[in-house]
Amino acid sequence: MATKIRKGDEVLVIAGDHKGNKGKILQILSSKNRVIVEGINMIKKHEKKTQDNPQGKIVEREASIHLSNVKRLDKTNSP
């Protein structure tokens, strides 16, 4: 029986570079079968110059990972 993963659930990354890390689901991209997990798979994104930010900057944010690479953690039997 597969359990549904929802926004706000605590998950464990079970595959890939961030294997063994835990985080909270921030967003689910159901059309692509991917999720964005808080603090996992951080990338650097360049922002253009604007009136609010005349210099531009580099922002670090989360990128998505595939749904099959995460496992929902239960409150009762977390590893």
Side-chain angles (χ1 to χ4, degrees):
M1 179 173 123
T3 58
K4 296 271 186 179
I5 293 179
R6 295 195 171 119
K7 182 177 173 180
D9 285 350
E10 189 77 20
V11 294
L12 173 70
V13 179
I14 58 173
D17 292 339
H18 302 283
K19 182 178 181 178
N21 294 346
K22 296 176 189 175
K24 191 165 128 180
I25 299 275
L26 297 176
Q27 186 178 7
I28 298 175
L29 308 170
S30 59
S31 62
K32 297 179 181 179
N33 289 328
R34 298 179 78 80
V35 293
I36 297 177
V37 182
E38 184 178 32
I40 306 292
N41 200 20
M42 300 298 284
I43 60 169
K44 292 185 190 252
K45 195 86 170 155
H46 294 264
E47 283 193 356
K48 288 178 112 178
K49 296 177 185 178
T50 62
Q51 284 185 339
D52 295 335
N53 186 18
Q55 293 248 312
K57 62 181 173 180
I58 300 173
V59 177
E60 200 166 357
R61 64 180 201 156
E62 294 92 355
S64 65
I65 59 175
H66 199 269
L67 189 60
S68 66
N69 292 343
V70 297
K71 176 175 121 179
R72 189 171 139 232
L73 290 177
D74 292 333
K75 304 275 186 214
T76 56
N77 57 1
S78 58

